[in-house]
Amino acid sequence: MVYILETELLENKSVYFSLTKILGVNRFQSFLICKKLGLSYNCRLSKLTPDQIVKLIKLTESLNLLLNNNLKKSNIMLAKKLIQIKAYRGIRKLRGLPVRGQRTHTNAKTASKRN
């Protein structure tokens, strides 16, 4: 198993799909990373040489993306800011209700679980 940015990546999957396991990296960004390194997107992570793995780690760290813990912290700070300024979204989030205009008569169970 390979650890990149505190995330455990499975070796039997392709590089393209394993990079999406990192919080904050989507499929498009994963595709760009593979393209910059000159890797085929269906190349397995286990077939990479240690040198290629080091390049992969350096490239993911050098990108200006919010990843893992930084992304979680920014989301929490955004929610706290919304609650602090008493925005509508912040109040709904604080009460555990749907934030984006969904109905609450029948289908608000998932929003209550999430908060």
Side-chain angles (χ1 to χ4, degrees), residues 48-67:
L48 294 180
T49 63
D51 190 38
Q52 288 175 325
I53 292 173
V54 170
K55 286 181 183 177
L56 179 68
I57 292 170
K58 285 183 181 178
L59 183 64
T60 52
E61 289 176 347
S62 69
L63 294 174
N64 292 330
L65 300 173
L66 286 175
L67 301 173

Side-chain angles (χ1 to χ4, degrees), residues 19-26 29 65-68 71:
L19 285 175
T20 59
K21 296 297 178 191
I22 299 172
L23 187 66
V25 177
N26 57 21
Q29 292 164 341
L65 300 173
L66 286 175
L67 301 173
N68 284 342
L71 183 61

Side-chain angles (χ1 to χ4, degrees), residues 4 9 13-19 29-57 59-60:
I4 296 177
L9 302 180
K13 289 198 170 197
S14 68
V15 178
Y16 174 70
F17 287 109
S18 339
L19 285 175
Q29 292 164 341
S30 176
F31 177 74
L32 289 179
I33 290 170
C34 290
K35 195 171 184 178
K36 283 183 182 177
L37 290 175
L39 299 172
S40 173
Y41 75 95
N42 57 4
C43 175
R44 302 268 177 221
L45 198 62
S46 60
K47 294 186 179 182
L48 294 180
T49 63
D51 190 38
Q52 288 175 325
I53 292 173
V54 170
K55 286 181 183 177
L56 179 68
I57 292 170
L59 183 64
T60 52

Side-chain angles (χ1 to χ4, degrees), residues 73-84 90 93:
K73 284 179 188 176
S74 71
N75 286 341
I76 291 169
M77 293 303 292
L78 179 64
K80 284 183 181 178
K81 180 183 171 191
L82 288 172
I83 292 169
Q84 181 183 4
K93 189 174 279 292

Side-chain angles (χ1 to χ4, degrees), residues 3 5 15-16 30 48 74 77 86 96 100 102 106-108 111:
Y3 285 90
L5 297 170
V15 178
Y16 174 70
S30 176
L48 294 180
S74 71
M77 293 303 292
K86 295 189 172 127
R100 298 183 178 174
Q102 296 92 339
T106 56
N107 297 332

